[in-house]
């Protein structure tokens, strides 16, 4: 019962005709390869562990570094317009066309922030007539922005349907309108076309 295995069991594995990849190996059977030395096994373990992080701190540090590298690539892409590293919301030919379509035009919405500052200053002056002028200016700017944005949205939809009939265009018009609210020099990705140059 506790005796050593018979000579037949210790014989080489070339006598065994079974396909080991398909059938489970008997725990009593020989494994068919020499046991590695301890030094070799430790070397293999060290190699495997050198690529994997040693602990949680190391793993989080590697993640931070990778995230930092990705963000740096994205910043460069936003400045240069390189499609490969742009964020997902800016990728694709449809989004590129929308950006070029907006950047090639003067939009009233892009002057919203400077005009808002001027109107705010006028409204803070303690002169009744200036405050009334500021209120009228405020209403006029809002109406002009709404009218300009509606016209731009219709033209953009028409161009998108003509140029990209089979591409998904969901959210493209809203993306373009949000871009009009930013001053041209502050837009990201940076404008790739000049004003008046049609995309």
């Amino acid at each position: 019962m506790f005796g050593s295995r018979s000579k037949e069991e210790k014989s080489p594995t070339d006598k065994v005709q079974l396909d080991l990849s398909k059938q489970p190996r008997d725990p009593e059977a020989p494994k068919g390869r020499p046991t590695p030395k301890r030094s070799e096994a430790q070397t293999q373990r060290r190699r495997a562990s050198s690529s994997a992080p040693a602990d949680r701190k190391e793993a989080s540090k590697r993640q931070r570094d990778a995230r930092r590298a990705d963000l740096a690539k994205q910043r460069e892409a936003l400045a240069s317009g390189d499609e490969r590293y742009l964020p997902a919301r800016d990728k694709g030919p449809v989004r590129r066309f929308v950006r070029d379509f907006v950047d090639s035009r003067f939009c009233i919405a892009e002057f919203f922030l400077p005009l808002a500052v001027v109107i705010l200053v006028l409204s803070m002056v303690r002169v009744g007539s200036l405050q009334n002028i500021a209120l009228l200016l405020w209403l006029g700017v809002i109406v002009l922005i709404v009218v300009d944005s509606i016209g731009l949205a219709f033209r953009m939809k028409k161009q998108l349907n003509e140029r990209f009939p089979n591409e998904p265009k969901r959210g493209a018009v809203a993306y373009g309108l949000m871009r009009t609210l930013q001053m041209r020099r502050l837009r990201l990705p940076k404008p790739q076309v000049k004003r008046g140059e049609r995309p």
Side-chain angles (χ1 to χ4, degrees), residues 72 155 172:
R155 289 194 301 272

Side-chain angles (χ1 to χ4, degrees), residues 119-181:
I119 292 167
L120 185 66
V121 169
L122 285 174
S123 65
M124 290 174 72
V125 177
R126 297 287 182 188
V127 179
S129 59
L130 281 178
Q131 287 182 339
N132 289 336
I133 290 169
L135 184 63
L136 288 171
L137 271 173
W138 189 248
L139 289 171
V141 166
I142 288 173
V143 168
L144 285 171
I145 287 173
V146 168
V147 170
D148 186 45
S149 298
I150 289 170
L152 184 74
F154 276 119
R155 289 194 301 272
M156 203 187 304
K157 265 187 191 174
K158 187 180 173 188
Q159 289 286 323
L160 284 170
N161 289 331
E162 284 175 9
R163 293 194 183 213
F164 306 99
N166 301 320
E167 293 275 337
K169 297 175 279 291
R170 186 176 177 180
V173 174
Y175 174 77
L177 292 176
M178 288 300 293
R179 191 168 174 85
T180 62
L181 289 169

Side-chain angles (χ1 to χ4, degrees), residues 64-78 85:
R64 265 197 314 275
D65 292 343
R67 201 177 309 123
R68 205 170 287 139
D70 288 344
L71 287 173
K73 282 181 184 176
Q74 277 188 6
R75 274 195 298 274
E76 287 173 24
L78 287 170
Y85 302 113

